Structures are given as structure tokens and as C-alpha cells.
Amino acid sequence: MFAKEVYINRRKALVEKMKGENGIILFLGNVESPAQYRDNCYKWRQDSNWLYFFGIDAPRFAATIDLESGVETIYADDFDLDDIIWTGPMPSVREQAESVGVGRSAGYGDIAAAIKGRKVHFLPASREYNAIKLAGLLGFDWQEAFSAGKKGCARASEPLVRAVISLRLVKEDIEIAEIDHACELGYEMHTVARKGIRTGRIEQTIVGEMESVSLGRGWGVSFPTILTQHGEIFHCHSHECLIEPGKLMVIDAGVENNDHYASDFTRTYPTAGRFTQMQRDIYQTVYECNELAFAMVRPGVAYRDCHLAAARHMLDNLGQLGLVKGDLDEMVADGVAGLFMPHGLGHNMGLDVHDMEDLGEDLVGYDADQSRSPQLGLGSLRMARRLQPGNVITDEPGIYFIPALIEQWKKDGTDKGRINYNKLETYYSFGGIRLEDDVLVTAGGARRLGSRRLPISPDEVEAAMETD
């Protein structure tokens, strides 16, 4: 939790951005969520927008900001004796409100009376409880309050959503320090993972070793760990396989520190310690795409253009390997790279590993004059905006050989004769490669977050694995 002045200034900035709007802003923090029964809950995690503006990391809090009077109020209930027996004493609601610069407090049950008859601005709910609570308070179907993917929630206040996005997209110095710290923890976790890759071990053993770092030094993982010898499966969360020689191990994992800022790194390792020539050729291409994208990052550059430049370089190299043929610019324009990289180059990162995407991917990741492409790959780009200092983004190109997708393109003629399917069949058991760093946009360009960089070039990876 930061000093109370941080939260005061953030709320002042929000109200300034909402100038011209009337009514009241309603923020709902999260409540505890039962796993099997009421007193056995999932691990507690506060709502990120609540943390950003109010900082109180405890369940069942809410707040209002009156846009007309400027009055701020926090709503929660003080612990009674039954609570204290189980959890110990807690500061009063008034004390907690004062700790973040809010002078008024009331009971959680007083929210309805406070907003009655007022225009209410609210954000999309990322959890069902909050959606149901909003619907009950405001009188509409709860699903209308729930986060609605790329376009956001139609019932939510667009002025409030846009104001929050504009503030959270540009990280303050104190936030950058937190993300640097999360990246240091991520470095440690990934180093443990790399050292644990040995033929015959079960993948789950490495995951346990990794996540012990995240829990011993931070809040835990920032998303469910991806560790797999089937890198062509983007979100493979099963870890029951034995490590086999000659495979590629994709490890996509991050740490959330105790102040809830995230890191997100991906590395791909040869399980035998050295790449085959086929693996090295593809790995080198992904590595070059990662370096190219980073070199382009600076204020004013659209991250969409970084994605397209990486796609062009990828197709150029794959052409030299005999996998594709044709005019590079035409192949990029027609989305041929999507066969090999069906995801975008990166996303925003901060209090959420995919920062603010519950507010609507398009609103968060696209400027007003940009629109999402229908193409495979480019259409999955979560961050396309023109970059500005303080943006924190991921740089994560990849190449994957997905037999079912390749066969579908072959059947449909999607590639318009540009793919060498006969040669591509020799890659059906290859898997995939992804390489991801976390990047801060600075006034003069960019820097990678954290004080160190995980080994990434083919030679660095082999040398690190030999030392391990």
C-alpha cells in the first residue's frame, strides 16, 4: 500500500478527467469467494481498480465519489466480536478510510441509499458477485454489468472507463518500481525452472519449485503457470508429462508481488540442453523478432506496427527455410503470419498481468482511430496503441506448428499458394517457441523491466543450461 497522498492524487485526477459529468461514481471492491462452502474460500485477491484508487486490501469495501459535491465515502462494516475471535482485531473502517485520505465512512448496507435517485457511473465487474450487486442496486440484469470482452460492458459508464484507462495506462514511478520488483521475482522463478529441466523429471515437479519462489517472496503467480513440451498449445496448464530429450519446453510464468503488481516472462528451452539445427533455426527467428520489436519501441510508435514488422521478419526467415514463398508485403497484408503466430505481439501489464482488459480490450488496447483486424494473429493483438512514456507492455513473438490449423488452411486454401505444406509436415511434432520480455516505454525509447535479463539468445540459453 502506498502513502495516502498517492490515492488522493489519483482520485483528484479521475475527477478532473470526469469534468462535465454529473452524478456519482460507485466503486465496488471484491468480497471473499467460497470454494466449497462459505468459510473455505479461494485465495483472496482485491479488485485492481479498487486497489488503484483506494488501496485497502480487505474484502467487502465500496466507495462513492460525488462528482457534484466532491464528497468521498467508503462503505464497510467494522468487525464484531465473532469476527475478532476468528481473524483477530482489525482497524476500524474510519481508520482505514483515513489511511487513504477519505474523510467519510458508512456501513456497507448504506450504499443503496447513497446512490438512490442519482446517475451512477460504474466500471464493468470482473467478478460475478459484483455484477450481481450492481444489478441489484441499479435495477438491471446482472449479466449486463459483467465484463464483456473486447468491446467492454454496454451498461458501464464509458466516460469513467475511458478516464480510468487513461490514468492506469501511464505508470507512475512508484508503480514502475513495483513492476521492476515483480520482474526480479520472475527472474528468480524462471531461473529455478531452467535449472530444473532434466530428462525423466515430471513437469509438475518444476512447477512446484517455481511457484514456491512466487509464494515465498510474493503474493503468488500472476496467472496460472504454463510449462509444457507442447508449446503449440498456448495455454497448456497440464503438467503430468515426463521430460523427454529432444523436446522444447515453453515456460510462460510470472510473479505477482505483495503489492499486486505483475511480471510475465516466457522462455523456451531445449530439454536436452542443446538445440537441434531445426529447433535453432526457428528459435533464432523468434529471438530476432523479439529484438526487432524492442528496438522499435519508443513514444509515438504504434505497437501494431511493431507486430507487423515482427510478422514480416518472421515470414522472411521462414521463406529462407523454404516454408513460405511470395512477396513479403503481400503475405503480411494477407495475414499469412497468423498461421505461425496466431496471437498478438503483446499486451499491457501492471496491477493485472493483462492490465485492465476487464474494462474492454478494444478500449484499453486501441486508439480511437484504430480498429481490430479480422485476421488470425493480428486480430488477437491486445495492444495496438501509439506508445507513450509510462506504458508497460510485453514483447512476446512466437512461432508454432499447430497441425490442425495447418490442415485447415491447406483444406481451405487460406494461404493462396504461399505455404509449402509438404515441408511443413516435417514440423508437425515440433511444438512451439515463444520468447517474452516486459518492457517500459521511456521518454527516449524503452528499457526492459527488472535489473537483469533471462538468457535469451540461442548461445546464451545453451550456455546457461550447460552451467546449470
Side-chain angles (χ1 to χ4, degrees), residues 126-393:
S126 60
R127 292 196 181 181
E128 289 187 3
Y129 173 90
N130 284 358
I132 293 168
K133 180 73 174 177
L134 283 167
L137 289 167
L138 301 175
F140 51 76
D141 185 87
W142 71 268
Q143 290 178 315
E144 294 183 74
F146 203 54
S147 299
K150 294 179 174 61
K151 301 295 184 183
C153 170
R155 279 280 192 171
S157 166
E158 187 169 333
L160 178 60
V161 169
R162 290 189 180 277
V164 170
I165 289 171
S166 69
L167 289 171
R168 287 186 58 191
L169 269 177
V170 178
K171 305 299 186 285
E172 303 158 276
D173 289 345
I174 52 173
E175 294 184 282
I176 294 166
E178 292 288 344
I179 300 170
D180 270 325
H181 176 241
C183 287
E184 293 292 326
L185 300 181
Y187 183 99
E188 293 181 28
M189 183 170 73
H190 274 263
T191 299
V192 166
R194 187 188 68 241
K195 291 181 176 181
I197 298 173
R198 293 192 297 275
T199 299
R201 298 191 84 199
I202 298 174
E203 293 169 342
Q204 184 177 351
T205 306
I206 302 176
V207 174
E209 293 166 350
M210 292 171 64
E211 296 193 0
S212 71
V213 175
S214 73
L215 290 168
R217 302 287 306 283
W219 179 87
V221 294
S222 52
F223 59 96
T225 296
I226 299 165
L227 184 147
T228 180
Q229 295 163 91
H230 288 281
E232 77 280 7
I233 303 172
F234 291 169
H235 288 177
C236 186
H237 299 299
S238 60
H239 308 124
E240 75 277 5
C241 295
L242 289 173
I243 298 174
E244 302 176 35
K247 295 281 191 177
L248 290 168
M249 175 78 78
V250 174
I251 303 176
D252 186 344
V255 175
E256 184 172 318
N257 75 0
N258 286 326
D259 287 316
H260 301 297
Y261 284 85
S263 62
D264 182 6
F265 296 134
T266 307
R267 290 295 185 265
T268 303
Y269 299 103
T271 56
R274 299 191 69 83
F275 295 103
T276 67
Q277 189 58 53
M278 177 185 280
Q279 291 170 345
R280 179 176 271 265
D281 288 340
I282 301 300
Y283 188 101
Q284 179 68 29
T285 294
V286 178
Y287 167 61
E288 290 173 6
C289 289
N290 177 285
E291 293 284 303
L292 171 64
F294 177 75
M296 292 180 64
V297 171
R298 61 184 181 275
V301 171
Y303 208 46
R304 183 179 187 274
D305 291 339
C306 298
H307 174 103
L308 292 172
R312 190 181 195 282
H313 187 77
M314 178 189 303
L315 291 170
D316 191 9
N317 281 18
L318 293 178
Q320 294 175 44
L321 294 174
L323 294 175
V324 300
K325 61 183 178 180
D327 181 84
L328 279 176
D329 292 331
E330 290 179 0
M331 283 197 288
V332 171
D334 288 345
V336 175
L339 177 63
F340 304 97
M341 190 174 85
H343 62 74
L345 180 65
H347 51 81
N348 290 288
M349 196 182 74
L351 276 167
D352 305 315
V353 71
H354 280 215
D355 212 27
M356 298 180 287
E357 287 183 7
D358 56 325
L359 302 183
E361 266 187 48
D362 288 356
L363 290 173
V364 173
Y366 286 74
D367 288 320
D369 61 349
Q370 294 175 323
S371 58
R372 189 179 286 263
S373 168
Q375 292 177 347
L376 182 65
L378 181 57
S380 295
L381 180 61
R382 298 171 182 271
M383 175 54 170
R385 284 178 179 267
R386 295 171 189 86
L387 301 171
Q388 56 181 319
N391 290 159
V392 172
I393 54 177

Side-chain angles (χ1 to χ4, degrees), residues 414-432:
T414 306
D415 62 295
K416 300 178 182 177
R418 283 125 163 192
I419 304 293
N420 183 345
Y421 287 105
N422 289 334
K423 188 160 188 178
L424 204 50
E425 287 179 3
T426 64
Y427 287 80
Y428 274 21
S429 61
F430 184 96

Side-chain angles (χ1 to χ4, degrees), residues 422-442:
N422 289 334
K423 188 160 188 178
L424 204 50
E425 287 179 3
T426 64
Y427 287 80
Y428 274 21
S429 61
F430 184 96
I433 294 170
R434 182 164 62 257
L435 300 173
E436 177 182 17
D437 294 316
D438 302 334
V439 176
L440 169 69
V441 183
T442 65

